[in-house]
């Protein structure tokens, strides 16, 4: 019986760690995406820092990535860039890979 309880606790701990890691990767990815978009919009360094935080915050509006894509694409469109939705989605994937690499190298 103790083995089962130990195993259950280990599974719960692994799940919690996996969830925390996924959250950290998504937040890092969103900051990186915000930094890229800020560069495309030619924002100042101060504006870039604020914008990266806005992109991270946008991810809390709804589940999934659509809220982040909608925000970044809307801002890029408003800034009169020629960047389309497919490019933003591709950058989101690219930045997710970069975020995972960065977090792995920090561990």
């Amino acid at each position: 019986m103790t083995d089962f309880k130990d195993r259950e606790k280990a599974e719960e701990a692994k799940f919690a760690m996996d969830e925390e890691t996924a959250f950290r990767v998504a937040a890092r990815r969103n900051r990186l995406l915000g930094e890229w978009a800020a560069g495309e919009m030619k924002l100042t360094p101060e504006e870039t820092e604020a914008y990266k935080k806005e992109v991270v915050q946008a991810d809390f509006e709804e589940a999934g990535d659509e809220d982040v894509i909608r925000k970044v694409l809307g801002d890029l469109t408003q800034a009169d860039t020629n960047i389309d939705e497919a490019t933003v989605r591709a950058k989101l994937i690219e930045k997710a890979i970069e975020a995972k690499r960065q977090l792995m190298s920090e561990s």
Side-chain angles (χ1 to χ4, degrees):
M1 194 68 164
T2 304
D3 288 342
F4 181 74
K5 287 286 187 190
D6 291 345
R7 188 175 188 164
E8 184 179 28
K9 285 182 182 180
E11 288 294 323
E12 288 173 0
K14 182 183 181 317
F15 178 78
M17 192 168 103
D18 289 349
E19 288 296 307
E20 180 184 345
T21 300
F23 175 80
R24 291 177 64 210
V25 167
R28 175 81 56 107
R29 174 204 66 188
N30 293 341
R31 277 195 300 275
L32 291 169
L33 183 69
E35 186 171 34
W36 166 77
E40 295 296 320
M41 293 185 285
K42 297 176 179 35
L43 299 181
T44 67
E46 295 81 18
E47 292 169 329
T48 297
E49 285 304 311
Y51 187 71
K52 290 189 305 189
K53 291 176 185 174
E54 288 177 27
V55 174
V56 170
Q57 197 67 30
D59 198 18
F60 297 116
E61 291 176 13
E62 62 186 50
D65 299 332
E66 295 306 310
D67 45 2
V68 173
I69 293 167
R70 190 170 41 250
K71 173 172 183 36
V72 172
L73 183 61
D75 293 342
L76 289 167
T77 301
Q78 191 173 16
D80 205 27
T81 65
N82 289 327
I83 298 172
D84 62 0
E85 183 176 345
T87 303
V88 173
R89 288 184 183 280
K91 281 292 179 184
L92 189 70
I93 293 168
E94 178 185 313
K95 297 305 179 184
I97 294 167
E98 186 178 339
K100 286 178 189 174
R101 285 186 182 141
Q102 286 180 4
L103 286 172
M104 286 174 56
S105 70
E106 291 174 5
S107 301

